Amino acid sequence: MPRCFWCSDDPLYQAYHDQEWGTPQRDPALLFEMLLLEGFQAGLSWITVLKKRERYRQVLDGFDPVKLARLSDERIEELMLDPGIIRNRLKLKAVRRNALAWLAVDNPAEWLWSFVGGAPKINHFQGRGDVPAVTDEAKAMSKALQKAGFTFVGPTICYAFMQATGMVMDHTTDCDRYAALLR
């Protein structure tokens, strides 16, 4: 199966590419999970985060924002000892801060989708050089998220989030998922 240029031969990466990445997602729980995971990726490769995703689900209460808003400093220190996750204190503190900000937004899924006009933006990129790292929509999302109290939500993280959750469809035209998602 032809895949996007960034997808390696790792079976976990291929499954993510083939079944999840770029598929429009409106479920608030998954959007929150992906926003946190994209923040954990900052400075790292996505496969690193993907390999730790199940452990994050275990130790972060299934990404439940209500529970994560109450994440104590003591629990963060315990998590700093867990080799199954990315042990970065600032990123772990961002989990609590982002959960609080998420809960303060009236309809977070609708709000996030508003940055692309409520419908997936379909791109027709042919190769690696065509796919941007940041767009005006991602910059606007980043600015709004930061204003709302979120952290680890720079424009590059926001664009990766938009790609992952199908707000933008950036599978390249030579990828099998491109045709499937156009339907």
Side-chain angles (χ1 to χ4, degrees):
M1 172 176 161
R3 293 182 174 91
C4 292
F5 61 88
W6 54 263
C7 188
S8 72
D9 59 356
D10 184 297
L12 182 64
Y13 220 5
Q14 289 179 352
Y16 173 73
H17 171 275
D18 297 351
Q19 299 162 20
E20 189 172 351
W21 192 81
T23 302
Q25 182 53 252
R26 294 180 187 273
D27 175 30
L30 187 58
L31 289 171
F32 181 65
E33 175 180 339
M34 291 306 296
L35 192 62
L36 292 184
L37 290 174
E38 292 292 351
F40 278 115
Q41 181 192 354
L44 303 169
S45 67
W46 181 246
I47 191 64
T48 300
V49 175
L50 202 56
K51 287 180 177 180
K52 295 176 182 294
R53 187 180 196 181
E54 287 307 316
R55 182 66 181 154
Y56 275 120
R57 285 176 172 159
Q58 293 168 5
V59 300
L60 296 180
D61 298 305
F63 293 99
D64 180 335
V66 173
K67 291 179 181 176
L68 295 178
R70 297 188 305 256
L71 193 64
S72 69
D73 288 339
E74 293 79 17
R75 179 67 180 135
I76 289 171
E77 290 308 313
E78 289 173 14
L79 291 171
M80 287 294 295
L81 302 174
D82 189 329
I85 65 168
I86 296 159
R87 294 175 287 181
N88 179 302
R89 191 172 279 103
L90 290 176
K91 291 177 181 182
L92 288 168
K93 287 185 175 188
V95 168
R96 177 176 52 209
R97 182 173 174 173
N98 289 348
L100 289 165
W102 183 268
L103 294 171
V105 175
D106 188 35
N107 185 336
E110 185 177 307
W111 180 54
L112 290 169
W113 273 90
S114 75
F115 293 96
V116 291
K121 180 179 177 186
I122 308 298
N123 291 314
H124 308 283
F125 299 132
Q126 294 182 1
R128 176 189 306 248
D130 298 332
V131 182
V134 174
T135 62
D136 288 341
E137 294 92 345
K139 289 177 186 175
M141 178 186 279
S142 172
K143 187 176 180 179
L145 284 167
Q146 289 174 28
K147 186 176 180 182
F150 290 83
T151 189
F152 281 95
V153 288
T156 304
I157 288 172
C158 285
Y159 196 64
F161 169 75
M162 294 167 100
Q163 291 172 309
T165 59
M167 291 178 188
V168 295
M169 202 282 280
D170 278 357
H171 285 279
T172 50
T173 56
D174 61 343
C175 174
D176 273 4
R177 292 291 293 151
Y178 171 83
L181 288 170
L182 277 180
R183 289 184 226 121

